[in-house]
Amino acid sequence: MTQTIDIDIRGQICPSCLLLALKELNHHGAAVRAGSIEIVVTTDDRQATATIPATAERMGFRTEVTRLDSSYRIRIFGAT
């Protein structure tokens, strides 16, 4: 069963959003690669929908961005 780490960073702007996501990726990276953990970031900063997925993908993770009513959901999971 996959555990989800939810990070709600609404109200933050980049580069703060990216740094917070990277902190969690660096801490839980091995478990995310193994598929036992996924990280879900909720943000209202549109720029984060580009910077977080691009950086995570360069690190070898898979990502998925979903637009919600007033925010975005960025899912970081598995390895490519």
Side-chain angles (χ1 to χ4, degrees):
M1 182 169 181
T2 303
Q3 177 187 355
T4 301
I5 297 175
D6 290 305
I7 306 169
D8 188 339
I9 55 174
R10 287 177 277 198
Q12 301 285 326
I13 57 172
C14 272
S16 173
C17 295
L18 177 60
L19 294 173
L20 290 168
L22 282 174
K23 178 182 173 186
E24 292 299 323
L25 271 175
N26 287 330
H27 189 262
H28 300 288
V32 173
R33 285 185 207 291
S36 59
I37 291 179
E38 67 179 21
I39 298 172
V40 176
V41 179
T42 304
T43 182
D44 53 6
D45 181 29
R46 184 164 167 73
Q47 185 178 2
T49 64
T51 59
I52 293 172
T55 302
E57 288 170 7
R58 280 195 301 273
M59 294 172 71
F61 298 101
R62 295 172 44 199
T63 63
E64 175 183 276
V65 179
T66 307
R67 181 172 170 85
L68 305 173
D69 289 335
S70 60
S71 60
Y72 302 92
R73 179 182 182 265
I74 304 167
R75 180 176 166 239
I76 305 169
F77 60 102
T80 55

